[in-house]
Structure formats: C-alpha cells, structure tokens
Amino acid sequence: MGKLSRRNRRQRIKASNSTTSSNDDTNASSCGSQILINRIRHGDTRVRHGTLTALASTIFSSESLSSSNGKIQQSTGRRSINEALLKAMSDRIFDDDVPCAACAVGCLSNYILFGPGSNSNFSDEKSNACRIIGPILHARVMKICDAISHMQVDLNSVVTKKLTVDNECDSNQLILVPEQECKTKKKKKNSQINKINNNSEVNSLQLRIKEQWSLLSLCLRALCGLVETYDHDVENADVLQATVNVIDLSIKNYSNDSNPNACTRTLFCDPNPPTNTTTLDDTLQANKISENMGENPIEECFVYASRTIHSLMDENLLMAQQLQSLSLGVSWDMIQSVVVNSNYPALARLHCAGIIVTVRQVLVGAMDNSSSLTNHDKEGCKKKVEQSMDPFLSSNIIPLLSGLLVYNPAIAMELISKINETKKLTEDEMEDEKMELEAIQKIEKQRQIGKENKQRKGKKEKMDTAEYAQRRDKSKNNQGKSLSSSGNDRKEGASSMHEEASLDWIRACMPLKLAIEIATNLCAGSINDRNDLEDFDMNSDSDSVVVDDIGDRKSNPLDVNLFYVIQQARIPDQILSLLGGIVTFILENGQLIPKNSAEDLCDVMSKCSSCLGNALCSLPSWKTNEQESSATWKELCSALFSSFYSSGNEVKQSGQYLPVSGISALTSIMTAFIRMRSNLIGSIEENDLDIIISCLNIDSHIIMNEKLDSDNISAVSNIQRDAIIMLTSLCSKPHTHTINDRICSVLLVTLAKLTTCARVMSEILNGLMDMYSSDENDPNNHEVIFKSRHVLEVIQKSLPHLESKIKQQESQNTATNEDLEFWEETILNSKRFIQYKKEQ
C-alpha cells in the first residue's frame, strides 16, 4: 500500500511538473507579448516608435510571416501574433505621431499580405484580421481625408494672406518723398516680418499635408491587401465609401506638373523614349533631390483607392448597385472622368476602366440569373448598360486599352540594359570595396607581425612623442573615414541607380499587365457567360461535345454586341501580335534578360494566353477561316520549335530556350486553337506532330539542365498536359495506323516513367481511353495498335502507381480538392474500361 501510494505520488509530481513546464512556456510567451503591448502603448513617443520599428524588422517582417505563417521561432519559445497584439498594433494607427502610425500600418500591411491570409487553415486569424484591422483602417482613412480637406482650406487661406502681404511689400518699394519716408519705414518693416511668418506657416502646412498623404497611401495599401486577401470578410460598404472619398480628394489635389516622374503612360508604348545619358554624379544629385522631395503620395492614393474599388466589384452585385446609387453622389461619373483624363496615372485610369467593365459583367449576368432582381430592376440594368456603359466602353475604354496593348522591344532593351549596367556597376564597386578592405587588413597584419618581431627580439626603440603619435593617429583615422565614406557613397549611389532601373521596368510592365487583364475580362463576357467558359474544361473526356456546346452557347445579346465591337477594334489581334513580339524578344536576347524581367515577360505571355483563350471561346467569327487559323497555328508552332531547337535542329542548352512558363503559355494557346477551331486539325503536318511530342518530353532535356522551383515544375506538368490534349484531339479525327502507333507509343512511355506526376498520368489514361473506345465498325478504330502495344496491360499496371501518387500528394497537401476528385474519377473510369475491354 505504501509503495503504491509513493509511486502514485511520484507520477502526480511528474505530471504536475510537466503541466507546470507547459504553463511556464505559455506564460513566457504571454508575458513576452504583454511586454510588447505595453511598449507599443507607452506614453513616450520614442519608445513606441522604437518598438514598432523593431517589430517591423522581426515578428512582422515579410520574411518571418511568409516562412512561419504569422509565427516566429525565438530562443525563448514560439511567440505567436495573437489577437491582443494585433489590437494594440491597430490602435497605433490612430497615433498622433505620424511616424508611429506609419510603422504600425506597415506592420499590419505585412501581416495582411504575407501572414495567414494565404493559408486556408488559419480561419480564426483571418476573422481576427478582418474584425480588428478592417474597421480601424477604414476609420483612419476617413479621418485623414477630413484632416487633409481642413488643412487644405487653411493652406489656401494662408496663401491668400501671403499674396496680400507680398503686394503690400511691393507697394512699399515705390519711390517716396522725404516727408513720407520716415512714416513708412515702420510699416515696411512690419510687412517684411509678416511675409517671413507667412512663408514659414505655408511650409509647415505643406509638410503636414504631405505627411497625411503619405500615411493615407500606406493605409490604402493595407486596406487594398485586406480586400484582395480576405475577400468577402471585409465590411465592403464602408470600404467603398472611404475609397470613393479618396478618389474624389485625389482628383481635387492631383497635379501632373507637381510630379515629373508620374507614371501616366506605359513606357512600352512611348514612341520617343528618353535616352539615358546621366552619370553617377548626376544620379547621386538627383537622388538627394528626390530624398528631399519624396515620392508623390497623392498618385499612390489615387492608384490604390481605384484598385480597391476594382477588387470590391468582382462578382458582387450589391457593390455594383451601391456604386451607382444616389448615396454616393456623383461617384459613377467621377469614375468615368478618371478614365477619360489622360493626365491621371495610367494605373488609376485602368483600374477605373476595370471597375466599369466588372460592373457591366455583374449587371448583365444578374439580368439572366439573379432571383433578387425584379423585372423592373432588370429593365433598369439593361437600360443602364445599353445607354451608358456600352457607348462608354466603345468610345473610351477600348481605345484606352488599344493604346496600351503595345510592346516596343527597343524600349524594353533599353530598360534591361540600364538594369544590367547598374547591376555591373554595383558589383564592381562592391569588388573594389572588398579589395580595399583586404589591402587594409594585409597592411595591418604586416604591422602586427613587425611589432611582434620587435617585441620577440627584445629591441627597445624610442617611441614617438605623444604629440607626433596623436597627430599620426588622427591623420590615419581621418584617412580611413574618408576612404570609408567615399566607398559608402559610391555603393549607395550604384545601388540606388540599380533600384531605380528595376523600378522603371516595373512601371513599364504593370500597366501592360493590367490592360491585358481588363481585355481578358471583356472577352469573357458577363458572369453567366464566364460560368459557361469555366464549364469548358480542357481535361474533359468528350472533345467534340464540349466544343459544340461552347460554339453554340447562347450569349446575352448585349454581350454579342460587345464581342462584335471588340473584334472590330482588333483587340485579340493586338494581343496576339504582342505575344509574338515578346517571344521573339526573349529568344533573341534571352541571355541578357535578368531573371526578374524574364519572369515579368512570361507573366505577360500567360495573361495573353488567357485573353486569347477567352477570345476563341467568345468570338465565334475570330480566326474561324481555315486559312487564318492555319497561319496562326504555323506561327505558334514556329515559336515553339525555336523554344526547343536552334537553327541547326540541336536542342538548346539552359538559358537559351524560352522559360518553361513562357512555353506553357504557348502550348495553352495551341490547345485552345485545336479544341475551338476543329477545321484546323486537317492542316496539321508531321512536323507539327514532332513539336507537340517534344512538349510531352520536355522534362527529359529541361529538368536535367536546370533546377526548377515549384512554380516551374507546375508549368512543366501544364505543358505535358496540353501536349496530351493536343495529341488525343488529333486522334479524334480519322487518321492512319502509323500516326496512331506513334502517338500511342509516346503516351505509354510517358505513363511508365516513375517521374511522371499524377496530373499527367491521369491525362494520359483519359486520352488512351478516348483513342481506343471506338466501335469495331468505326473508321477511327485502331484496335490493332491497341493489342500490339499491349495498352490494356500497361493501363492496368499504372493504376497502383497513380493511386500511390494521389495519396502522396494528398498527404503533402500539394493538390486541390478538384484535382483529387478528377484523379479518383479517372481511376474509376480506367477500371471500368479494363473490364469493358476484357469482356469484348
């Protein structure tokens, strides 16, 4: 009894110690968070600012949030960003000290963009972010707008008073008679004092207004990220009202003359780009000026406010109706005025154009589907679209897009050359600094060795006098400081030049990307038609049925008229030409293009691919002529061939071919052409078949040559999937046994590879079942090839491998639910196919 009692006592003590240890860790984490909260709420501005700055570079840094989804490992344990810390950080947005408020907004922006929002497993964190951060950001935006308006009134009053004082000073400069000179001396002195005071007051007000605009731009950036990341969890009505107010305020205060670097156009469509003849000294001087002047925060507010409204309108009928309601006054006319005014920033104009396009899509889709609209409301929507939106689209938005959908390779090469030159300059200066440091270390080492030798030999030499030693050390220190400061200045100058060159490239790409996205939405039609397009699945088994359904789908008459206007404006042809220009540019200058720039160009190609896919689905008369579609197909095949092979038909090495994401964009367009333009299949030649097979074998000579990240690995699987779809689509039409045998052998070899992913395996199995499901009397029956290649046995052996790959991807959470369902369905259909063939 006693021993049992002691044993139980030991177990209780052990369990108690374990619980205490766990509680200690929790308490330590809670204590650490409470310390941070106390410092964030400290009464001293310097303490608050220091704490917020430290958090911005540690817990709330983009790197920490991206790697740990809102949590960071520390030596004392895991400290999470909890609700209390978020609340304390959000409260600082209303800090009277603008730098503190700016730091708080920056931390929350990182949390929104890089935190748990991108991970669906963090639903609680998502609700916390929306519930805590959203209302505070909205309230702060409204408060800043009111403050700017009042300060602007005060500034106008002071400026008017200053002009009056200036006029008085000028009048006092008139020639006076001796009797009046003494009487006016005192008056003149008082006028000059008033003039100085007014100048000081004007400068102070201008600085305060600029600080408020800068803080407003940061708040809008965070608010925009909140809307885009957390979607419908945000109080959209409040955000809409706040952003409309910002656009109104930006229109009243925006001046293109006040910002010579305003991005009012895309550089790719500038016929006369400025040449770069500035030297390093010129750039350093310009950087000093820009540091004093700062960026134009009004332009940033303009862009982010319009971008936020653009995101709010996406498939949101309530927001679309509220934007046009009387409660927002002239908001709709204001949006249209931004599109028309060429002096406003290009991104702001494009986002406002996107707002109108998205609202039109929502309204037209609601006319057919929404049960919440009465017949009277539907008639009102139709009238609004016919009489207001469509004429504005035709006369303003489509010409705006047409003017921006241009790619000038000369300008692109100039921008890339500037990036490469400034990068080389930065690397050279870093190398020089490294050599200088090594030389200094070598000299110091030799001095130390000499000193040790003298001490070892026991020589006692007379030391320099204190005055001489002090003067020598002072001279050496000054020389070292001068060398270090000059090196740092050169380094900062070169790095700032490289950063500015990279920003120039980004400024050129962003309007182009956004213009293509808006064109893609235009070619998609209304929400109802877009749902039809989403039902068109490239992975579908029944090729001919799907193509016929899409080709004969009943579009809304309003969309039919819009599609006609788009085709008459040659928007799809312009996109196709833009795509060809980028492909040629990359193939000719691939080794000179920096990685980031190449990724941007491939992103543009991907957006072009989506736009052209929508155009092929929605515009039934675009490229329907066999001659036109065949010519376009040949150009795409030629670009794809050049992506793999040199002029001597040799496989290109790494860095010489088109990036895999660019190749994926090409194969996606080619797949859409084969699926949507069936008359094209008859003009496809054997050389075209070789190119398609090269796409299926892309992993054999590209993955072996370079290391690919997860995005590029996904692009490789997309290329292989597109190749399989194209090959099986060719087999859907009557063809010879020779072609069938070649396609079958390639598919079987790829299916048997251990490196083939589940997505590609599933596509191959569906393709093989389509190829050999024809009846015996069907002219497209190739049962001879099916038996000679032992297709049934290969399919049967591949199913266990596919099942294991599916389980692996499911456990690693690397596949979507839709993918998993499709693969499971493929396995089920394959088993039924095996049973069907065995019973024949």
Side-chain angles (χ1 to χ4, degrees):
M1 292 289 291
K3 291 182 179 180
L4 181 61
S5 177
R6 283 196 296 271
R7 189 183 302 118
N8 289 340
R9 183 172 180 273
R10 292 193 192 102
Q11 291 176 355
R12 288 196 299 270
I13 293 173
K14 185 176 180 181
S16 175
N17 291 338
S18 176
T19 305
T20 303
S21 176
S22 176
N23 291 336
D24 289 342
D25 292 340
T26 304
N27 292 335
S29 176
S30 175
C31 181
S33 297
Q34 188 60 45
I35 292 174
L36 289 176
I37 293 172
N38 292 338
R39 293 181 67 85
I40 290 173
R41 292 172 174 169
H42 200 278
D44 191 342
T45 302
R46 293 172 297 179
V47 174
R48 296 199 305 270
H49 186 265
T51 304
L52 291 169
T53 304
L55 288 173
S57 59
T58 54
I59 297 178
F60 283 91
S61 67
S62 58
E63 294 81 7
S64 298
L65 291 169
S66 299
S67 60
S68 55
N69 285 322
K71 296 183 179 180
I72 184 170
Q73 295 287 345
Q74 295 188 351
S75 58
T76 58
R78 170 166 290 188
R79 178 182 297 173
S80 62
I81 300 178
N82 53 31
E83 183 175 342
L85 185 58
L86 282 177
K87 183 68 170 63
M89 186 72 70
S90 300
D91 291 341
R92 287 303 97 203
I93 296 178
F94 276 94
D95 200 308
D96 294 333
D97 184 66
V98 174
C100 287
C103 283
V105 175
C107 290
L108 293 175
S109 295
N110 287 341
Y111 180 79
I112 291 167
L113 296 175
F114 304 102
S118 57
N119 193 329
S120 59
N121 297 326
F122 291 89
S123 57
D124 293 337
E125 285 83 348
K126 290 176 69 174
S127 61
N128 286 341
C130 296
R131 180 169 52 85
I132 297 173
I133 303 174
I136 295 179
L137 281 173
H138 158 258
R140 183 58 167 169
V141 168
M142 298 293 288
K143 182 178 179 180
I144 295 174
C145 289
D146 292 339
I148 291 175
S149 299
H150 287 97
M151 284 190 287
Q152 195 67 46
V153 172
D154 294 341
L155 180 62
N156 294 336
S157 175
V158 173
V159 169
T160 304
K161 183 178 178 181
K162 178 178 177 296
L163 292 175
T164 304
V165 173
D166 290 343
N167 293 333
E168 290 179 359
C169 290
D170 293 338
S171 64
N172 290 331
Q173 301 296 328
L174 297 176
I175 300 176
L176 300 174
V177 296
E179 295 82 11
Q180 295 175 327
E181 185 173 354
C182 293
K183 296 180 180 179
T184 58
K185 250 181 196 180
K186 188 174 181 180
K187 182 178 179 181
K188 179 179 179 181
K189 183 177 180 180
N190 292 335
S191 298
Q192 290 176 346
I193 293 174
N194 291 334
K195 181 177 180 181
I196 294 173
N197 292 335
N198 287 332
N199 287 335
S200 150
E201 191 173 358
V202 167
N203 294 335
S204 176
L205 275 172
Q206 288 177 338
L207 181 60
R208 289 169 55 197
I209 291 174
K210 187 173 183 179
E211 283 182 343
Q212 293 296 320
W213 275 109
S214 299
L215 181 59
L216 180 59
S217 68
L218 292 174
C219 291
L220 287 170
R221 183 178 301 183
L223 195 61
C224 182
L226 197 66
V227 171
E228 293 178 347
T229 306
Y230 299 99
D231 200 15
H232 299 294
D233 295 330
V234 186
E235 292 294 336
N236 293 338
D238 294 338
V239 174
L240 180 62
Q241 181 68 62
T243 47
V244 167
N245 290 346
V246 172
I247 291 181
D248 185 30
L249 192 64
S250 300
I251 291 174
K252 294 176 181 178
N253 292 272
Y254 182 81
S255 173
N256 191 45
D257 296 334
S258 65
N259 182 21
N261 296 319
C263 183
T264 57
R265 54 172 172 70
T266 169
L267 294 178
F268 286 148
C269 62
D270 183 11
N272 299 309
T275 57
N276 181 26
T277 58
T278 58
T279 63
L280 177 59
D281 295 335
D282 295 335
T283 305
L284 286 173
Q285 184 64 27
N287 288 337
K288 291 179 181 178
I289 296 174
S290 64
E291 287 175 1
N292 295 329
M293 295 178 60
E295 298 179 356
N296 186 359
I298 301 179
E299 180 181 338
E300 293 186 6
C301 293
F302 211 156
V303 172
Y304 276 105
S306 56
R307 176 176 170 178
T308 303
I309 298 177
H310 191 183
S311 300
L312 285 173
M313 295 300 111
D314 191 24
E315 300 186 16
N316 195 326
L317 178 60
L318 181 62
M319 288 295 100
Q321 291 175 324
Q322 187 165 357
L323 182 64
Q324 303 172 82
S325 65
L326 295 177
S327 61
L328 291 176
V330 293
S331 59
W332 186 255
D333 295 335
M334 181 178 65
I335 296 295
Q336 290 182 331
S337 69
V338 174
V339 177
V340 174
N341 195 327
S342 60
N343 291 324
Y344 292 150
L347 287 175
R349 297 179 66 199
L350 284 170
H351 278 301
C352 287
I355 292 170
I356 296 173
V357 171
T358 306
V359 169
R360 183 197 179 279
Q361 289 174 335
V362 172
L363 293 181
V364 174
M367 290 165 55
D368 297 330
N369 296 330
S370 178
S371 58
S372 60
L373 294 180
T374 63
N375 292 332
H376 180 268
D377 292 335
K378 292 181 179 180
E379 286 297 326
C381 290
K382 182 178 180 181
K383 183 178 179 181
K384 178 75 173 178
V385 171
E386 286 181 334
Q387 298 182 3
S388 176
M389 292 186 179
D390 282 355
F392 189 82
L393 278 169
S394 303
S395 59
N396 294 284
I397 293 180
I398 290 180
L400 173 64
L401 296 178
S402 181
L404 295 176
L405 292 173
V406 177
Y407 177 78
N408 190 325
I411 298 176
M413 195 69 242
E414 181 181 349
L415 295 172
I416 289 174
S417 299
K418 186 178 177 182
I419 294 174
N420 292 335
E421 290 172 3
T422 53
K423 182 180 179 182
K424 187 177 184 304
L425 183 61
T426 304
E427 293 173 349
D428 290 345
E429 292 189 353
M430 292 179 64
E431 185 66 25
D432 291 343
E433 185 179 353
K434 182 180 178 181
M435 292 175 62
E436 289 176 1
L437 182 61
E438 291 176 352
I440 293 173
Q441 291 176 348
K442 186 176 180 181
I443 293 173
E444 291 295 332
K445 186 177 181 180
Q446 290 176 350
R447 287 179 179 176
Q448 186 66 24
I449 292 174
K451 184 177 180 180
E452 291 176 355
N453 290 336
K454 290 180 181 180
Q455 291 177 353
R456 189 165 47 248
K457 292 178 181 179
K459 292 183 179 180
K460 294 182 179 180
E461 299 180 352
K462 187 178 180 180
M463 301 298 293
D464 296 326
T465 62
E467 183 180 358
Y468 175 75
Q470 185 178 5
R471 188 166 62 249
R472 183 191 62 187
D473 294 340
K474 184 177 180 181
S475 175
K476 183 168 57 176
N477 290 336
N478 291 337
Q479 183 180 1
K481 289 180 181 180
S482 176
L483 180 64
S484 175
S485 61
S486 63
N488 289 334
D489 290 342
R490 289 197 303 270
K491 182 179 178 182
E492 290 176 1
S495 61
S496 61
M497 288 176 65
H498 181 64
E499 183 179 353
E500 185 62 30
S502 301
L503 287 175
D504 286 342
W505 173 265
I506 294 174
R507 293 188 190 105
C509 289
M510 289 182 65
L512 180 61
K513 292 180 181 180
L514 184 55
I516 298 173
E517 290 177 1
I518 296 173
T520 303
N521 288 337
L522 279 174
C523 292
S526 63
I527 297 298
N528 184 35
D529 289 330
R530 281 199 286 171
N531 291 335
D532 291 339
L533 292 178
E534 291 171 0
D535 292 338
F536 169 64
D537 187 3
M538 288 294 185
N539 299 325
S540 177
D541 300 341
S542 52
D543 297 3
S544 59
V545 174
V546 173
V547 172
D548 293 341
D549 288 345
I550 294 295
D552 297 337
R553 65 190 179 96
K554 295 181 179 180
S555 297
N556 190 294
L558 295 174
D559 283 336
V560 173
N561 296 333
L562 176 63
F563 295 152
Y564 175 78
V565 173
I566 293 172
Q567 186 170 343
Q568 288 297 111
R570 299 180 59 83
I571 295 294
D573 295 306
Q574 201 169 353
I575 295 287
L576 191 61
S577 176
L578 190 153
L579 175 73
I582 292 178
V583 171
T584 304
F585 180 80
I586 295 177
L587 292 176
E588 292 179 352
N589 308 283
Q591 294 180 327
L592 300 176
I593 303 176
K595 181 181 178 181
N596 291 339
S597 301
E599 290 177 353
D600 284 329
L601 292 176
C602 290
D603 188 26
V604 173
M605 290 180 60
S606 178
K607 295 180 186 301
C608 290
S609 172
S610 300
C611 182
L612 293 174
N614 285 351
L616 287 169
C617 291
S618 301
L619 309 182
S621 59
W622 184 66
K623 299 294 182 182
T624 53
N625 183 282
E626 184 176 355
Q627 184 177 359
E628 291 181 349
S629 60
S630 178
T632 304
W633 171 265
K634 294 298 180 185
E635 291 177 357
L636 292 171
C637 286
S638 176
L640 196 57
F641 179 85
S642 301
S643 303
F644 289 110
Y645 303 101
S646 62
S647 57
N649 291 342
E650 297 179 356
V651 177
K652 292 185 176 181
Q653 299 299 317
S654 177
Q656 296 178 344
Y657 46 75
L658 200 66
V660 289
S661 54
I663 296 175
S664 176
L666 289 178
T667 56
S668 177
I669 299 172
M670 294 173 67
T671 303
F673 262 98
I674 286 185
R675 298 293 297 272
M676 306 309 301
R677 301 294 182 260
S678 57
N679 58 357
L680 175 66
I681 295 179
S683 60
I684 295 178
E685 301 175 352
E686 188 173 354
N687 293 335
D688 304 336
L689 185 61
D690 295 336
I691 296 172
I692 297 174
I693 292 175
S694 298
C695 293
L696 185 58
N697 298 326
I698 187 174
D699 58 335
S700 62
H701 64 271
I702 285 189
I703 296 182
M704 297 297 292
N705 289 338
E706 61 179 62
K707 295 181 180 179
L708 300 179
D709 55 21
S710 58
D711 292 336
N712 284 331
I713 291 176
S714 176
V716 169
S717 66
N718 288 338
I719 295 169
Q720 292 179 305
R721 181 205 63 185
D722 291 336
I724 295 166
I725 294 174
M726 286 188 280
L727 291 174
T728 53
S729 297
L730 293 175
C731 292
S732 64
K733 301 294 181 181
H735 57 284
T736 63
H737 283 323
T738 304
I739 294 178
N740 187 276
D741 181 67
R742 186 180 180 191
I743 293 176
C744 178
S745 63
V746 171
L747 294 178
L748 294 179
V749 169
T750 306
L751 182 63
K753 287 182 181 179
L754 296 177
T755 57
T756 304
C757 64
R759 188 179 192 185
V760 176
M761 289 183 68
S762 176
E763 203 64 56
I764 291 176
L765 290 173
N766 284 315
L768 291 172
M769 287 186 284
D770 288 339
M771 289 171 60
Y772 299 108
S773 59
S774 302
D775 295 332
E776 192 173 328
N777 298 327
D778 195 314
N780 206 24
N781 179 280
H782 298 277
E783 195 69 18
V784 177
I785 306 299
F786 178 81
K787 293 180 179 180
S788 64
R789 288 288 179 180
H790 306 288
V791 176
L792 194 63
E793 290 79 357
V794 175
I795 293 177
Q796 198 165 2
K797 291 180 181 179
S798 66
L799 291 182
H801 296 291
L802 177 58
E803 289 176 341
S804 64
K805 288 180 181 293
I806 292 174
K807 291 180 180 179
Q808 181 182 2
Q809 291 198 237
E810 186 177 9
S811 62
Q812 295 175 351
N813 197 23
T814 56
T816 63
N817 293 331
E818 291 78 8
D819 288 335
L820 295 174
E821 291 177 4
F822 179 73
W823 297 340
E824 294 291 347
E825 184 180 354
T826 299
I827 292 176
L828 180 61
N829 291 336
S830 299
K831 292 178 179 180
R832 291 175 177 174
F833 179 78
I834 293 171
Q835 183 178 2
Y836 165 74
K837 282 295 184 179
K838 285 181 177 181
E839 292 175 354
Q840 281 187 339

